[in-house]
PDB file of all heavy atoms in Angstrom:
ATOM      1  N   VAL X   1       3.770   9.192  -7.780  1.00 90.00           N
ATOM      2  CA  VAL X   1       4.564   8.476  -8.849  1.00 90.00           C
ATOM      3  C   VAL X   1       4.942   9.571  -9.816  1.00 90.00           C
ATOM      4  O   VAL X   1       4.126  10.282 -10.367  1.00 90.00           O
ATOM      5  CB  VAL X   1       3.684   7.408  -9.651  1.00 90.00           C
ATOM      6  CG1 VAL X   1       4.543   6.824 -10.674  1.00 90.00           C
ATOM      7  CG2 VAL X   1       3.204   6.391  -8.649  1.00 90.00           C
ATOM      8  N   GLY X   2       6.265   9.814 -10.017  1.00 91.00           N
ATOM      9  CA  GLY X   2       6.786  10.943 -10.818  1.00 91.00           C
ATOM     10  C   GLY X   2       6.251  12.291 -10.424  1.00 91.00           C
ATOM     11  O   GLY X   2       6.018  13.104 -11.243  1.00 91.00           O
ATOM     12  N   GLY X   3       6.035  12.465  -9.110  1.00 93.00           N
ATOM     13  CA  GLY X   3       5.627  13.688  -8.605  1.00 93.00           C
ATOM     14  C   GLY X   3       4.110  13.978  -8.684  1.00 93.00           C
ATOM     15  O   GLY X   3       3.599  14.951  -8.236  1.00 93.00           O
ATOM     16  N   VAL X   4       3.430  12.946  -9.204  1.00 92.00           N
ATOM     17  CA  VAL X   4       1.894  13.116  -9.361  1.00 92.00           C
ATOM     18  C   VAL X   4       1.293  12.250  -8.323  1.00 92.00           C
ATOM     19  O   VAL X   4       1.575  11.029  -8.203  1.00 92.00           O
ATOM     20  CB  VAL X   4       1.483  12.620 -10.758  1.00 92.00           C
ATOM     21  CG1 VAL X   4      -0.019  12.732 -10.966  1.00 92.00           C
ATOM     22  CG2 VAL X   4       2.135  13.463 -11.873  1.00 92.00           C
ATOM     23  N   ALA X   5       0.411  12.779  -7.542  1.00 91.00           N
ATOM     24  CA  ALA X   5      -0.276  12.003  -6.441  1.00 91.00           C
ATOM     25  C   ALA X   5      -1.087  10.939  -7.119  1.00 91.00           C
ATOM     26  O   ALA X   5      -1.761  11.042  -8.012  1.00 91.00           O
ATOM     27  CB  ALA X   5      -1.105  13.000  -5.725  1.00 91.00           C
ATOM     28  N   ALA X   6      -0.777   9.678  -6.479  1.00 86.00           N
ATOM     29  CA  ALA X   6      -1.664   8.576  -6.892  1.00 86.00           C
ATOM     30  C   ALA X   6      -3.054   8.722  -6.269  1.00 86.00           C
ATOM     31  O   ALA X   6      -3.147   9.461  -5.302  1.00 86.00           O
ATOM     32  CB  ALA X   6      -0.973   7.321  -6.345  1.00 86.00           C
ATOM     33  N   THR X   7      -3.980   8.058  -6.828  1.00 74.00           N
ATOM     34  CA  THR X   7      -5.300   8.116  -6.249  1.00 74.00           C
ATOM     35  C   THR X   7      -5.166   7.628  -4.868  1.00 74.00           C
ATOM     36  O   THR X   7      -4.248   6.901  -4.504  1.00 74.00           O
ATOM     37  CB  THR X   7      -6.255   7.257  -7.073  1.00 74.00           C
ATOM     38  OG1 THR X   7      -5.754   5.883  -7.176  1.00 74.00           O
ATOM     39  CG2 THR X   7      -6.486   7.830  -8.394  1.00 74.00           C
ATOM     40  N   THR X   8      -6.150   7.880  -4.014  1.00 69.00           N
ATOM     41  CA  THR X   8      -6.134   7.431  -2.578  1.00 69.00           C
ATOM     42  C   THR X   8      -5.803   5.882  -2.624  1.00 69.00           C
ATOM     43  O   THR X   8      -6.401   5.105  -3.270  1.00 69.00           O
ATOM     44  CB  THR X   8      -7.538   7.578  -1.943  1.00 69.00           C
ATOM     45  OG1 THR X   8      -7.880   9.009  -2.033  1.00 69.00           O
ATOM     46  CG2 THR X   8      -7.486   7.096  -0.543  1.00 69.00           C
ATOM     47  N   PRO X   9      -4.709   5.615  -1.883  1.00 80.00           N
ATOM     48  CA  PRO X   9      -4.336   4.144  -1.874  1.00 80.00           C
ATOM     49  C   PRO X   9      -5.509   3.270  -1.506  1.00 80.00           C
ATOM     50  O   PRO X   9      -6.290   3.587  -0.684  1.00 80.00           O
ATOM     51  CB  PRO X   9      -3.251   4.081  -0.830  1.00 80.00           C
ATOM     52  CG  PRO X   9      -2.607   5.480  -0.949  1.00 80.00           C
ATOM     53  CD  PRO X   9      -3.758   6.394  -1.104  1.00 80.00           C
ATOM     54  N   LEU X  10      -5.571   2.120  -2.123  1.00 88.00           N
ATOM     55  CA  LEU X  10      -6.590   1.148  -1.940  1.00 88.00           C
ATOM     56  C   LEU X  10      -6.442   0.421  -0.630  1.00 88.00           C
ATOM     57  O   LEU X  10      -7.372  -0.040   0.006  1.00 88.00           O
ATOM     58  CB  LEU X  10      -6.699   0.138  -3.101  1.00 88.00           C
ATOM     59  CG  LEU X  10      -6.798   0.796  -4.474  1.00 88.00           C
ATOM     60  CD1 LEU X  10      -6.589  -0.229  -5.604  1.00 88.00           C
ATOM     61  CD2 LEU X  10      -8.099   1.433  -4.610  1.00 88.00           C
ATOM     62  N   PHE X  11      -5.196   0.245  -0.190  1.00 93.00           N
ATOM     63  CA  PHE X  11      -4.853  -0.366   1.036  1.00 93.00           C
ATOM     64  C   PHE X  11      -3.484   0.147   1.568  1.00 93.00           C
ATOM     65  O   PHE X  11      -2.568   0.191   0.748  1.00 93.00           O
ATOM     66  CB  PHE X  11      -4.784  -1.951   0.887  1.00 93.00           C
ATOM     67  CG  PHE X  11      -4.325  -2.613   2.216  1.00 93.00           C
ATOM     68  CD1 PHE X  11      -5.086  -2.665   3.326  1.00 93.00           C
ATOM     69  CD2 PHE X  11      -3.126  -3.259   2.195  1.00 93.00           C
ATOM     70  CE1 PHE X  11      -4.658  -3.281   4.539  1.00 93.00           C
ATOM     71  CE2 PHE X  11      -2.612  -3.788   3.370  1.00 93.00           C
ATOM     72  CZ  PHE X  11      -3.363  -3.854   4.466  1.00 93.00           C
ATOM     73  N   GLU X  12      -3.411   0.377   2.804  1.00 94.00           N
ATOM     74  CA  GLU X  12      -2.144   0.745   3.506  1.00 94.00           C
ATOM     75  C   GLU X  12      -2.080   0.012   4.808  1.00 94.00           C
ATOM     76  O   GLU X  12      -3.008   0.324   5.654  1.00 94.00           O
ATOM     77  CB  GLU X  12      -2.059   2.246   3.752  1.00 94.00           C
ATOM     78  CG  GLU X  12      -2.264   3.173   2.613  1.00 94.00           C
ATOM     79  CD  GLU X  12      -2.534   4.536   3.093  1.00 94.00           C
ATOM     80  OE1 GLU X  12      -3.181   4.823   4.117  1.00 94.00           O
ATOM     81  OE2 GLU X  12      -2.198   5.537   2.312  1.00 94.00           O
ATOM     82  N   GLY X  13      -1.234  -0.884   5.014  1.00 95.00           N
ATOM     83  CA  GLY X  13      -1.207  -1.566   6.335  1.00 95.00           C
ATOM     84  C   GLY X  13      -0.182  -2.755   6.382  1.00 95.00           C
ATOM     85  O   GLY X  13       0.692  -2.764   5.414  1.00 95.00           O
ATOM     86  N   MET X  14      -0.380  -3.517   7.317  1.00 94.00           N
ATOM     87  CA  MET X  14       0.580  -4.704   7.487  1.00 94.00           C
ATOM     88  C   MET X  14       0.223  -5.690   6.368  1.00 94.00           C
ATOM     89  O   MET X  14      -0.959  -5.975   6.135  1.00 94.00           O
ATOM     90  CB  MET X  14       0.401  -5.380   8.809  1.00 94.00           C
ATOM     91  CG  MET X  14       0.717  -4.454  10.052  1.00 94.00           C
ATOM     92  SD  MET X  14       2.493  -3.969  10.128  1.00 94.00           S
ATOM     93  CE  MET X  14       3.251  -5.527  10.413  1.00 94.00           C
ATOM     94  N   ALA X  15       1.301  -6.211   5.707  1.00 93.00           N
ATOM     95  CA  ALA X  15       1.017  -7.213   4.631  1.00 93.00           C
ATOM     96  C   ALA X  15       0.459  -8.505   5.326  1.00 93.00           C
ATOM     97  O   ALA X  15       1.171  -9.007   6.202  1.00 93.00           O
ATOM     98  CB  ALA X  15       2.359  -7.480   3.883  1.00 93.00           C
ATOM     99  N   PRO X  16      -0.698  -8.942   4.900  1.00 93.00           N
ATOM    100  CA  PRO X  16      -1.280 -10.059   5.528  1.00 93.00           C
ATOM    101  C   PRO X  16      -0.372 -11.301   5.599  1.00 93.00           C
ATOM    102  O   PRO X  16       0.243 -11.625   4.584  1.00 93.00           O
ATOM    103  CB  PRO X  16      -2.514 -10.323   4.753  1.00 93.00           C
ATOM    104  CG  PRO X  16      -2.856  -9.037   4.059  1.00 93.00           C
ATOM    105  CD  PRO X  16      -1.501  -8.429   3.872  1.00 93.00           C
ATOM    106  N   THR X  17      -0.227 -11.921   6.771  1.00 90.00           N
ATOM    107  CA  THR X  17       0.515 -13.138   7.083  1.00 90.00           C
ATOM    108  C   THR X  17       2.032 -12.958   7.005  1.00 90.00           C
ATOM    109  O   THR X  17       2.758 -13.938   7.104  1.00 90.00           O
ATOM    110  CB  THR X  17       0.081 -14.313   6.179  1.00 90.00           C
ATOM    111  OG1 THR X  17       0.518 -14.227   4.824  1.00 90.00           O
ATOM    112  CG2 THR X  17      -1.440 -14.545   6.124  1.00 90.00           C
ATOM    113  N   LEU X  18       2.596 -11.732   6.769  1.00 89.00           N
ATOM    114  CA  LEU X  18       3.977 -11.449   6.689  1.00 89.00           C
ATOM    115  C   LEU X  18       4.452 -10.614   7.788  1.00 89.00           C
ATOM    116  O   LEU X  18       4.194  -9.384   7.825  1.00 89.00           O
ATOM    117  CB  LEU X  18       4.334 -10.881   5.351  1.00 89.00           C
ATOM    118  CG  LEU X  18       3.957 -11.754   4.138  1.00 89.00           C
ATOM    119  CD1 LEU X  18       4.076 -10.967   2.799  1.00 89.00           C
ATOM    120  CD2 LEU X  18       4.791 -13.079   4.102  1.00 89.00           C
ATOM    121  N   ALA X  19       5.211 -11.135   8.790  1.00 88.00           N
ATOM    122  CA  ALA X  19       5.571 -10.385  10.004  1.00 88.00           C
ATOM    123  C   ALA X  19       6.564  -9.237   9.599  1.00 88.00           C
ATOM    124  O   ALA X  19       7.519  -9.388   8.832  1.00 88.00           O
ATOM    125  CB  ALA X  19       6.339 -11.342  10.944  1.00 88.00           C
ATOM    126  N   GLY X  20       6.290  -8.033  10.150  1.00 87.00           N
ATOM    127  CA  GLY X  20       7.198  -6.898  10.088  1.00 87.00           C
ATOM    128  C   GLY X  20       7.159  -6.258   8.675  1.00 87.00           C
ATOM    129  O   GLY X  20       8.010  -5.333   8.383  1.00 87.00           O
ATOM    130  N   LEU X  21       6.180  -6.594   7.812  1.00 90.00           N
ATOM    131  CA  LEU X  21       6.187  -5.997   6.437  1.00 90.00           C
ATOM    132  C   LEU X  21       4.903  -5.253   6.241  1.00 90.00           C
ATOM    133  O   LEU X  21       3.830  -5.741   6.587  1.00 90.00           O
ATOM    134  CB  LEU X  21       6.317  -7.157   5.442  1.00 90.00           C
ATOM    135  CG  LEU X  21       6.434  -6.769   3.975  1.00 90.00           C
ATOM    136  CD1 LEU X  21       7.759  -6.028   3.699  1.00 90.00           C
ATOM    137  CD2 LEU X  21       6.361  -8.022   3.143  1.00 90.00           C
ATOM    138  N   TYR X  22       5.034  -4.077   5.620  1.00 93.00           N
ATOM    139  CA  TYR X  22       3.833  -3.292   5.292  1.00 93.00           C
ATOM    140  C   TYR X  22       3.575  -3.395   3.772  1.00 93.00           C
ATOM    141  O   TYR X  22       4.548  -3.748   3.021  1.00 93.00           O
ATOM    142  CB  TYR X  22       4.053  -1.842   5.653  1.00 93.00           C
ATOM    143  CG  TYR X  22       4.102  -1.501   7.082  1.00 93.00           C
ATOM    144  CD1 TYR X  22       5.243  -1.588   7.829  1.00 93.00           C
ATOM    145  CD2 TYR X  22       2.918  -1.090   7.840  1.00 93.00           C
ATOM    146  CE1 TYR X  22       5.306  -1.294   9.147  1.00 93.00           C
ATOM    147  CE2 TYR X  22       2.926  -0.810   9.121  1.00 93.00           C
ATOM    148  CZ  TYR X  22       4.115  -0.904   9.824  1.00 93.00           C
ATOM    149  OH  TYR X  22       4.128  -0.561  11.102  1.00 93.00           O
ATOM    150  N   GLN X  23       2.394  -3.085   3.338  1.00 93.00           N
ATOM    151  CA  GLN X  23       2.011  -3.139   1.928  1.00 93.00           C
ATOM    152  C   GLN X  23       1.120  -1.890   1.667  1.00 93.00           C
ATOM    153  O   GLN X  23       0.327  -1.560   2.439  1.00 93.00           O
ATOM    154  CB  GLN X  23       1.262  -4.423   1.686  1.00 93.00           C
ATOM    155  CG  GLN X  23       0.675  -4.533   0.308  1.00 93.00           C
ATOM    156  CD  GLN X  23      -0.042  -5.861   0.210  1.00 93.00           C
ATOM    157  OE1 GLN X  23       0.220  -6.836   0.875  1.00 93.00           O
ATOM    158  NE2 GLN X  23      -0.958  -5.910  -0.801  1.00 93.00           N
ATOM    159  N   ILE X  24       1.366  -1.320   0.534  1.00 94.00           N
ATOM    160  CA  ILE X  24       0.485  -0.209  -0.048  1.00 94.00           C
ATOM    161  C   ILE X  24       0.027  -0.663  -1.423  1.00 94.00           C
ATOM    162  O   ILE X  24       0.829  -1.048  -2.269  1.00 94.00           O
ATOM    163  CB  ILE X  24       1.149   1.148  -0.153  1.00 94.00           C
ATOM    164  CG1 ILE X  24       1.567   1.623   1.253  1.00 94.00           C
ATOM    165  CG2 ILE X  24       0.214   2.128  -0.730  1.00 94.00           C
ATOM    166  CD1 ILE X  24       2.437   2.913   1.236  1.00 94.00           C
ATOM    167  N   ASP X  25      -1.269  -0.632  -1.684  1.00 92.00           N
ATOM    168  CA  ASP X  25      -1.779  -0.895  -2.996  1.00 92.00           C
ATOM    169  C   ASP X  25      -2.425   0.331  -3.562  1.00 92.00           C
ATOM    170  O   ASP X  25      -3.154   1.067  -2.895  1.00 92.00           O
ATOM    171  CB  ASP X  25      -2.902  -1.930  -2.901  1.00 92.00           C
ATOM    172  CG  ASP X  25      -2.495  -3.214  -2.261  1.00 92.00           C
ATOM    173  OD1 ASP X  25      -1.257  -3.527  -2.294  1.00 92.00           O
ATOM    174  OD2 ASP X  25      -3.339  -4.023  -1.810  1.00 92.00           O
ATOM    175  N   PHE X  26      -2.012   0.699  -4.748  1.00 90.00           N
ATOM    176  CA  PHE X  26      -2.486   1.978  -5.477  1.00 90.00           C
ATOM    177  C   PHE X  26      -2.536   1.759  -6.958  1.00 90.00           C
ATOM    178  O   PHE X  26      -2.007   0.721  -7.371  1.00 90.00           O
ATOM    179  CB  PHE X  26      -1.593   3.118  -5.045  1.00 90.00           C
ATOM    180  CG  PHE X  26      -0.212   2.976  -5.525  1.00 90.00           C
ATOM    181  CD1 PHE X  26       0.178   3.584  -6.721  1.00 90.00           C
ATOM    182  CD2 PHE X  26       0.752   2.224  -4.781  1.00 90.00           C
ATOM    183  CE1 PHE X  26       1.531   3.451  -7.091  1.00 90.00           C
ATOM    184  CE2 PHE X  26       2.083   2.191  -5.196  1.00 90.00           C
ATOM    185  CZ  PHE X  26       2.504   2.725  -6.317  1.00 90.00           C
ATOM    186  N   THR X  27      -3.043   2.745  -7.615  1.00 87.00           N
ATOM    187  CA  THR X  27      -3.053   2.726  -9.071  1.00 87.00           C
ATOM    188  C   THR X  27      -2.200   3.875  -9.659  1.00 87.00           C
ATOM    189  O   THR X  27      -2.003   4.821  -8.963  1.00 87.00           O
ATOM    190  CB  THR X  27      -4.494   2.852  -9.669  1.00 87.00           C
ATOM    191  OG1 THR X  27      -5.042   4.002  -9.156  1.00 87.00           O
ATOM    192  CG2 THR X  27      -5.305   1.644  -9.324  1.00 87.00           C
TER     193      THR X  27
END
């Protein structure tokens, strides 16, 4: 974010129950 590495993403993968969509959760 703004060239600063986010902490290790909390989740990276397929968005649950949503076909063809990925999701990344981070702070």
Side-chain angles (χ1 to χ4, degrees):
V1 179
V4 178
T7 55
T8 302
L10 306 169
F11 173 70
E12 305 164 328
M14 298 294 296
T17 72
L18 300 171
L21 186 66
Y22 291 87
Q23 175 180 336
I24 298 176
D25 300 340
F26 63 95
T27 57

